[in-house]
Amino acid sequence: MKRREFLTAGISIAATSIVASNTFSSVSFAATSERPMQILALVFDDYETLDLHGPIEMLGHMKNVEIKLVGAKSIIRSYQGPRVVTDLSLDSVTPCDLLIIPGGLGTRKLIEDQVLMRWLREQQKVSDKVFSICTGSALLAKAGVLDGVNATTNKMAYNWVTSLSNKVNWQPSARWVDDGKYLTSSGVSAGIDAALFYVEQLRGKSEAKRIQALTEYHWNDDATNDPYAVET
Amino acid sequence: MKRREFLTAGISIAATSIVASNTFSSVSFAATSERPMQILALVFDDYETLDLHGPIEMLGHMKNVEIKLVGAKSIIRSYQGPRVVTDLSLDSVTPCDLLIIPGGLGTRKLIEDQVLMRWLREQQKVSDKVFSICTGSALLAKAGVLDGVNATTNKMAYNWVTSLSNKVNWQPSARWVDDGKYLTSSGVSAGIDAALFYVEQLRGKSEAKRIQALTEYHWNDDATNDPYAVET
């Protein structure tokens, strides 16, 4: 590859992250109207493609937004095959407006990764809002981030995810659950609906509707309308 | 980045593509039940995120499928910001079962790119089926690939795309149009519906429904149901 190209990217990356050697930084994050909104998305091998790129599609159409990927390696492979390039590493935490945690088959192994668990606990402290899609909530639950929080997850993997923590108030019927700082969505494409809800919450219904029309999307804008709800 | 990591990828890439110096190869492609189905997706700077990753999500859940990205550079940036790594270059054509052409703001400049236009004309010859999403049909129309074909495109960009060729039978009201070798979808998320239609066409309705449930998706499975149809 063009090595220079990647190094150039590396420079801009270093400038935006807080690098810590042994301990993570946890600088509080004051939003200003001047700077672009900062969205950070975790990626890992075998992440589910649409969990990540569905919300990125919708959120990326808001004005004045910067979306960056963070992961343990320079190049991350999705479950479907194609690879993405990370902008930030797990050696640091980065204050942001929104932290996106996708799901996918990769989460089955990742729940045992203590480096990631520690990063999640520290990164979420410097994130104004945390948004998980599908089994991304398994990572947050295992890290203890969702203790006492109302949350949901992929209904096909409901039994596995909910078995990881009995301290989360798991919701068996919800397209998404918004509980203050934590927004958790149901499986895969539910993340697109939840992302548009977040746009509405942040910038108003008309902005969410503008992006829905722009993307010719059929938005399920009712969090209680869950066609894949599970019986418990 | 880990240079070795990329070079290793490079080796597997070389093995799968047909490299030609001055002229493109156009080896006919005989599908066998042994080899994985080959899906090739074009990427370019400022491609629309969901145009590409929506269909990849659905198609990638079929059994025995390989999805590769092809582009003019090693790393390609989406309109929303995140970057993908290409597996193949435009120096060659690669026989495949399905060629995916996403749209996005990048197409506005790309219609003037004669290298790409030539690649499209040659690559489509060795592709069993060609599937464009959103303004991806602008590239195919400009290359002359859709002459005499019934096709559709993003309804928000309908006037621009249709102005590029009067030899295409443009359809102002269609979620997607399947005309033999050429499958063209309406804007952005319509590509997900068309991808599931392709799964149904190839592997049957039950397989399409399995993937729809797996991804908790609301599938608009009626090509004539176009909420964003334009008046002409």
Side-chain angles (χ1 to χ4, degrees):
Chain A
M1 81 169 288
K2 299 188 188 75
R3 184 159 178 76
R4 185 170 45 74
E5 187 178 2
F6 191 87
L7 291 176
T8 311
I11 291 161
S12 64
I13 290 163
T16 60
S17 64
I18 297 170
V19 180
S21 53
N22 298 326
T23 60
F24 286 109
S25 305
S26 61
V27 174
S28 65
F29 186 52
T32 73
S33 57
E34 291 72 23
R35 64 151 186 84
M37 176 184 179
Q38 297 295 319
I39 297 178
L40 195 64
L42 174 70
V43 284
F44 46 85
D45 284 338
D46 286 333
Y47 78 85
E48 186 72 15
T49 294
L50 199 60
D51 288 13
L52 175 73
H53 297 283
I56 283 177
E57 169 69 29
M58 301 305 174
L59 300 170
H61 274 297
M62 289 191 291
K63 303 280 184 294
N64 201 29
V65 168
E66 273 182 14
I67 302 174
K68 295 193 176 73
L69 303 184
V70 57
K73 299 181 298 181
S74 303
I75 295 179
I76 301 289
R77 185 186 183 282
S78 70
Y79 173 77
Q80 284 72 18
R83 299 167 295 163
V84 292
V85 182
T86 56
D87 304 295
L88 299 158
S89 81
L90 298 182
D91 299 333
S92 63
V93 293
T94 304
C96 63
D97 297 277
L98 182 67
L99 173 66
I100 297 177
I101 310 294
L105 211 61
T107 59
R108 304 279 171 154
K109 197 167 64 179
L110 224 51
I111 55 169
E112 305 304 334
D113 184 328
Q114 294 313 313
V115 172
L116 180 81
M117 290 296 122
R118 180 160 165 270
W119 181 85
L120 278 174
R121 284 189 288 268
E122 297 302 321
Q123 175 60 48
Q124 69 101 21
K125 291 179 188 171
V126 295
S127 307
D128 282 7
K129 187 131 184 163
V130 179
F131 172 23
S132 73
I133 299 93
C134 197
T135 51
S137 54
L139 300 176
L140 294 174
K142 186 76 174 184
V145 170
L146 295 179
D147 290 1
V149 174
N150 296 305
T152 196
T153 187
N154 182 313
K155 301 313 190 309
M156 309 289 156
Y158 192 79
N159 292 340
W160 173 67
V161 176
T162 56
S163 72
L164 298 173
S165 173
N166 57 14
K167 295 179 180 169
V168 182
N169 305 325
W170 294 111
Q171 305 298 310
S173 177
R175 188 66 172 167
W176 70 82
V177 174
D178 182 49
D179 190 355
K181 178 170 178 169
Y182 305 99
L183 172 63
T184 56
S185 88
S186 190
V188 193
S189 54
I192 304 176
D193 296 327
L196 283 172
F197 161 78
Y198 176 75
V199 171
E200 176 184 359
Q201 188 177 57
L202 199 71
R203 307 260 173 117
K205 189 86 172 184
S206 62
E207 175 67 349
K209 287 286 187 184
R210 180 187 70 83
I211 294 173
Q212 171 189 13
L214 190 69
T215 56
E216 298 190 9
Y217 183 63
H218 175 90
W219 180 21
N220 173 357
D221 64 354
D222 177 3
T224 67
N225 175 10
D226 182 3
Y228 299 94
V230 290
E231 301 293 330
T232 52
Chain B
M1 84 169 289
K2 298 190 189 74
R3 186 159 177 76
R4 183 171 47 75
E5 186 178 3
F6 192 87
L7 291 176
T8 310
I11 291 162
S12 64
I13 290 163
T16 59
S17 64
I18 299 170
V19 180
S21 53
N22 298 326
T23 60
F24 287 109
S25 305
S26 61
V27 174
S28 66
F29 187 52
T32 74
S33 58
E34 290 72 23
R35 64 149 186 85
M37 176 185 180
Q38 297 296 318
I39 296 178
L40 196 63
L42 174 69
V43 283
F44 45 85
D45 284 339
D46 286 333
Y47 77 86
E48 186 72 14
T49 294
L50 199 60
D51 288 13
L52 175 73
H53 296 283
I56 283 177
E57 169 70 28
M58 301 304 175
L59 300 170
H61 275 297
M62 289 191 291
K63 303 281 184 294
N64 201 29
V65 168
E66 274 182 13
I67 302 174
K68 295 193 176 73
L69 303 184
V70 56
K73 299 181 298 180
S74 303
I75 295 179
I76 301 290
R77 185 186 184 282
S78 71
Y79 173 77
Q80 283 73 17
R83 299 168 295 164
V84 292
V85 183
T86 56
D87 303 297
L88 299 159
S89 81
L90 298 181
D91 300 333
S92 63
V93 293
T94 305
C96 63
D97 298 277
L98 182 68
L99 173 65
I100 297 177
I101 310 294
L105 211 61
T107 59
R108 304 280 171 152
K109 196 167 64 179
L110 224 51
I111 55 170
E112 305 304 334
D113 184 328
Q114 294 313 311
V115 172
L116 180 80
M117 289 296 123
R118 179 161 166 268
W119 180 85
L120 278 174
R121 284 189 288 268
E122 297 302 322
Q123 175 60 47
Q124 68 101 21
K125 291 179 188 170
V126 295
S127 307
D128 282 7
K129 187 132 184 161
V130 179
F131 172 24
S132 73
I133 299 93
C134 197
T135 51
S137 54
L139 301 176
L140 294 174
K142 186 76 175 185
V145 170
L146 296 179
D147 290 1
V149 174
N150 295 305
T152 196
T153 187
N154 181 313
K155 301 314 190 308
M156 309 290 156
Y158 192 80
N159 292 340
W160 173 67
V161 177
T162 57
S163 73
L164 297 174
S165 172
N166 57 14
K167 295 177 179 170
V168 182
N169 304 325
W170 295 110
Q171 305 297 309
S173 177
R175 187 66 172 167
W176 70 82
V177 174
D178 183 48
D179 189 356
K181 178 171 179 168
Y182 305 99
L183 172 63
T184 55
S185 87
S186 190
V188 194
S189 54
I192 304 176
D193 295 328
L196 282 173
F197 161 78
Y198 176 74
V199 171
E200 176 184 1
Q201 189 177 56
L202 200 71
R203 308 259 172 117
K205 189 88 172 181
S206 63
E207 175 66 350
K209 288 286 187 185
R210 180 188 69 83
I211 295 173
Q212 170 188 13
L214 190 69
T215 56
E216 297 189 11
Y217 183 62
H218 175 90
W219 180 21
N220 173 356
D221 64 354
D222 177 3
T224 67
N225 175 11
D226 182 3
Y228 299 94
V230 291
E231 300 293 330
T232 52

